[in-house]
Amino acid sequence: MISKRMFPWLDERLGISGIYKTIFDRMVPKVNWWFTLGSATLFLFALQVVTGIMLSVYYVPSPDKAYDSIQYIMNGVAFGWLIRGIHHWGATLMVITVFLHMLRVFFYAAYKYPREITWTTGVLLLLATLGMGFTGYLLPWDQKAYWATTVGTSIAGAVPGIGDFILRALRGGNDLSGVTLARFFSAHIWMFPLIIIALIGVHLYLVIRIGISSIPKENE
Amino acid sequence: MNDVQKVQYKERYLRAKRNGEKFFPESLYRDMLVMFAIFLLLVGLSIFIGVAAEPKADPSDTTYIPRPEWYFLFLFEMLKFFPGSLEWVGTTIIPGAAVIALLLLPFYDKNPARHWKKRKFAIGFMSVVVVAMVFLTIQAAVTTPPQKNASAVAATLPAQITAGQDTYSVQCAECHGPDGGGGVIKGVKGLEGFKMKAINGQDEMYTRTDNTLYNIVEYGQPDLGMPPFGKAFGGELSRSDIDNLVTYMRYSWDNRVQMPKEAAQANAIPVLGPKDIPSYSVNIAPIVKRYCVSCHRPGKENNNYLMGGYNDVMNSGDHKPNVVAGDLNSNLIRMIHGEKITAGGAMPPTKSLSPDLIAIFERWVKAGAPEKPAK
Ligand code: HEM
C-alpha cells in the first residue's frame, strides 16, 4: 500500500508523530466534566469564526445596507437563518462558557504555580471575548444595536479626563455614524479575532506544556 | 511559594499524572461529547427561538429604551448606585479595579494551598461577587420597562409588503388614491382639485430607485404639496415603516418584479361566495382599511366619522348613524353610490369603489351589518 510507504517518508520530514505524541498521546490527571469548559470555549470560538466568515459573504457594513443585508441573510440566503442563529447564540454561549471556565480555574486554584501566565492570558481572552460581543452587537444596525451602542460608548465617555477622547475614538466622531460601523466591523472581524487567536496559541501551548492541573486533594 | 513547596507540588502532580488517563482518547472523548451537545443546542436555539427581529436603527426615535447585550446588564445596573458626579466610580474605578485584580491574581494570592477548605476567603469572596453579578443581571432584566410602541417587526418579505400596504392605506391613500393611481383630489385640505399624477406606473417606478422613493417619503416634497413622513421631520413613520412602504410600492407597481404569491394572498380582499353572509371583521374591515381609513381617522377632515373599528363605523359621525342595519338608504351606502346628500358627497371622493366592492357593502347592510361571521 502506498500510504504505508508515504507516511514514514512524510513523517521523517514533517514530524507528524512527534506532534501526535506531544498533543494527544500524553498522560493527564483524572479530572471531571468541569474541565471540558475550556475546550467547549475553543469549539465555540472555532464555530464563531466559521459562521462569521459565512456571514461576511453577504453582510455589508454600511448604515444604508447593513440592516437590509441581514434581512437578506435571514430570508434570501439558503440556511442563512441557521448560520446567523448559530453565530448569535454561539456568542451568548461563548461568554457563558468562558466565564464558567474561569470560575472552574479559580475554584480549583489552577491559576497558582506554575500556571500564572496561563491565567493572565486567560483574563485577556475574557476581555477580548467581551470586546467581540460589544462590537458584534452593533453590526445588524437595528434599533437595539444602535441605542445599546450609543449608551455603551457614552459610558466609556464618562471616564474622567480621557473620556471624551475615548468616546470620539470609539465613535469616530461625536455621534454614531457610518464611521462607527466601519470601526466596529473592523474590530469585530480583524482586530479582536487576531488578538484572540494569538492569545489562544499561547494559552494552549502553556496548557499542553505544563499539563492540566489535577483536582486538589485535602492536604494540598 | 518557596522552592521546597515547588518541588513538593511537582512530585504530587507527577503522581497524579501517572495515575491518570491518556488525553486521547479518554479526555478528548469527554470534550467531544460536550462539543457535540453544544452544537445540537445551538441548532435547536436557532430553529426554535431564532434571532428576534428588530426595527431598523432610527436615530430620530428617542423613545427607544436602550438595553445592552445581556452580559453587560450587571454593569448597567451597577451604574445606578453611582448617580451624578459619582458616575466615574461606576464606569472606571470599579471595572478597572476588577480587571487589574483578575489579571494579577496569581501574583498577589500568595496562599500556597489549593484545596478549597484552606482558601475560604478567596472562595467566599469570589462567590459573593458572582452572586452579586447574577443578582444585578436579574434585577436589570426585571426592572427595565418593556419597549414602548413595540409593534411586531415584519421579518419576511410577504410580511413587509403587508405592513407596507397597511401604512400606505392609512397615510397615502387620501392623496394618491387606494392604488397610487392619483386623479383629481377631493376632500383633502389644501389640495382640493389638485390633479395628482399616477405614481404606480412605469414613469415612476422605472425612474425612481428604492432610495429615491425612501427619500421622497422621509423628506416629502413640501413645495409640491407632498408632506414629509419621517419622524425627524414631524411625520409618523419610522425607518422600518418607510422601508416596508417602499417594498410594498416596488412589489405592487413595478412590473419588473414579481409579487410573492403569499403576499398577494394576504393582501387580497376576501372574495364573497354567492351564498356567504358578509361580516364586518372578515369582509368590510379590509375594504375600509384600504379605501376609507386614510381620511376617516382622527385629525383629518371627515365630519368626525371615524372608521377604525366596528363601533365607530356604526355609531360615529356628524350625521350618525351612517350605517343602519337592513337599510339600504343608509348614508354610507348612498354616498359610495356617488349620491350627494346632506352628510357629504361621493365616497371615496376621488375615485368610486368598484361595483363588486359596493355590492359587498350592500349585502352586509342587508344582512343586518353583523360584526362577526355567523358560526
Ligand atoms: C477564548 C477563551 C479561552 C479558551 C479558548 C480557553 C481554552 C482553554 C483550554 C482548552 C484549556 C484546557 C483545560 C480546560 O479545558 O479546562 C484551558 C486551561 C486554562 N485556562 Fe483557558 N481558555 C479561555 C479563557 C480563559 C480565561 C478567561 C481564563 C481565566 C481568567 C483561563 C485560564 C486558564 C487556566 C489557568 C488554564 C489551566 C487550567 C489547568 O491547568 O487546570 N482561560 N483554557
Side-chain angles (χ1 to χ4, degrees), chain A residues 127-129 131-132 135 186-197:
Chain A
L127 295 177
T129 306
M132 286 296 275
T135 50
S186 163
H188 189 77
I189 74 158
W190 292 117
M191 304 177 202
F192 281 120
L194 288 181
I195 291 173
I196 290 181
I197 288 169

Side-chain angles (χ1 to χ4, degrees), chain A residues 35 38-39 41-42 94 98 101-102 104-105 110 115 118-119 122-123 125-126 129 200 203-204 207 211-213:
Chain A
F35 287 66
S39 53
T41 313
L42 184 65
M94 185 169 163
V98 177
H101 171 58
M102 183 189 81
R104 139 16 219 154
V105 170
R115 300 187 178 81
T118 322
W119 169 270
V123 176
L125 278 168
L126 174 72
T129 306
I200 286 182
H203 200 73
L204 292 188
V207 167
I212 192 77
S213 66

Side-chain angles (χ1 to χ4, degrees), chain A residues 30-52:
Chain A
K30 265 208 164 55
V31 289
N32 58 28
W33 289 89
W34 293 109
F35 287 66
T36 60
L37 283 163
S39 53
T41 313
L42 184 65
F43 172 68
L44 281 164
F45 179 70
L47 210 55
Q48 292 301 93
V49 171
V50 172
T51 51

Side-chain angles (χ1 to χ4, degrees), chain A residues 20 23-31 33 36 39-40 43-44 47 64 67 71 75 81-82 84-86 88-90 92-93 95-96 99 103 106-107 109 111-116 119-120 123-124 127 130 133-134 137 141-144 146-148 151 155 158-160 210-214 216-220, chain B residues 1 6 9-10 12-13 16-18 20-24 27-28 30-31 33-35 38 41-42 45-47 49-51 54-59 61 64 66-72 76 79 87-88 91-92 99 102-103 105-107 109 111 113-115 117-119 122-123 126-127 130 133 155-156 160 240:
Chain A
Y20 174 78
I23 296 185
F24 294 101
D25 193 23
R26 63 188 160 103
M27 291 299 284
V28 290
K30 265 208 164 55
V31 289
W33 289 89
T36 60
S39 53
F43 172 68
L44 281 164
L47 210 55
D64 286 346
Y67 185 82
Q71 296 277 310
N75 301 315
W81 58 272
L82 182 62
R84 179 165 182 235
I86 292 178
H88 176 91
W89 289 105
T92 283
L93 214 58
V95 171
I96 296 178
F99 192 72
L103 288 183
F106 183 87
F107 287 127
Y111 58 88
K112 298 191 173 182
Y113 172 85
R115 300 187 178 81
E116 296 93 333
W119 169 270
T120 318
V123 176
L124 296 177
L127 295 177
L130 293 178
F134 184 63
Y137 204 50
W141 203 252
D142 53 24
Q143 283 282 71
K144 204 164 78 175
Y146 184 91
W147 292 105
V151 172
I155 286 177
V159 178
I210 299 170
I212 192 77
S213 66
S214 54
K217 300 214 175 58
E218 283 228 32
N219 59 0
E220 282 192 63
Chain B
M1 227 182 188
K6 280 184 187 172
Y9 174 75
K10 276 191 183 144
R12 242 185 285 120
Y13 182 62
K17 253 194 346 193
R18 236 178 277 123
E21 57 187 20
K22 275 273 169 65
F23 176 67
F24 176 80
S27 279
L28 203 57
R30 267 196 308 269
D31 291 337
L33 218 57
V34 170
M35 291 179 198
I38 285 181
L41 177 65
L42 288 179
L45 285 168
S46 310
I47 294 176
I49 302 185
V51 186
E54 274 280 316
K56 192 176 188 170
D58 191 346
D61 181 5
Y64 195 87
R67 55 199 71 211
E69 186 65 303
W70 66 268
Y71 40 79
F72 291 121
F76 206 58
L79 290 183
E87 201 188 9
W88 59 280
T91 57
T92 319
V99 167
L102 273 181
L103 272 174
L105 171 68
F107 305 103
D109 178 6
N111 178 1
R114 291 170 195 248
H115 194 264
K117 279 191 181 157
K118 298 178 190 158
R119 302 171 56 226
I123 302 273
M126 187 58 119
S127 306
V130 172
M133 282 168 70
T156 61
Q160 285 163 357
S240 284

Side-chain angles (χ1 to χ4, degrees), chain B residues 183-297:
Chain B
V184 178
I185 296 188
K186 290 193 203 111
V188 178
K189 231 190 271 169
L191 287 168
E192 207 58 50
F194 181 87
K195 188 168 177 307
M196 177 65 82
K197 67 175 184 184
I199 56 170
N200 61 357
Q202 285 189 10
D203 282 0
E204 185 77 16
M205 286 296 128
Y206 281 34
T207 58
R208 309 290 194 268
T209 63
D210 284 358
N211 258 334
T212 311
L213 290 173
Y214 182 97
N215 289 337
I216 291 173
V217 177
E218 163 130 61
Y219 298 97
Q221 297 178 325
D223 289 346
L224 297 175
M226 164 80 189
F229 286 89
K231 278 204 176 124
F233 307 95
E236 295 176 27
L237 302 185
S238 73
R239 297 198 168 198
S240 284
D241 292 337
I242 303 182
D243 273 337
N244 293 339
L245 192 56
V246 171
T247 308
Y248 158 72
M249 292 160 74
R250 184 66 68 199
Y251 277 90
S252 318
W253 300 339
D254 192 327
N255 56 15
R256 295 168 302 181
V257 290
Q258 180 79 39
M259 170 78 98
K261 277 208 189 75
E262 224 180 299
Q265 269 163 13
N267 297 331
I269 291 182
V271 274
L272 196 57
K275 293 224 177 71
D276 296 346
I277 295 170
S279 68
Y280 177 81
S281 62
V282 175
N283 307 92
I284 300 300
I287 306 179
V288 167
K289 189 165 83 180
R290 186 147 345 148
Y291 294 95
C292 319
V293 165
S294 75
C295 299
H296 289 279
R297 63 191 176 111

Side-chain angles (χ1 to χ4, degrees), chain A residues 134-197:
Chain A
F134 184 63
T135 50
Y137 204 50
L138 178 66
L139 302 186
W141 203 252
D142 53 24
Q143 283 282 71
K144 204 164 78 175
Y146 184 91
W147 292 105
T149 306
T150 305
V151 172
T153 47
S154 67
I155 286 177
V159 178
I162 50 169
D164 202 44
F165 171 77
I166 298 181
L167 180 88
R168 286 156 158 283
L170 285 175
R171 292 188 182 172
N174 282 326
D175 296 308
L176 247 64
S177 67
V179 183
T180 324
L181 185 55
R183 254 165 222 218
F184 275 51
F185 181 66
S186 163
H188 189 77
I189 74 158
W190 292 117
M191 304 177 202
F192 281 120
L194 288 181
I195 291 173
I196 290 181
I197 288 169

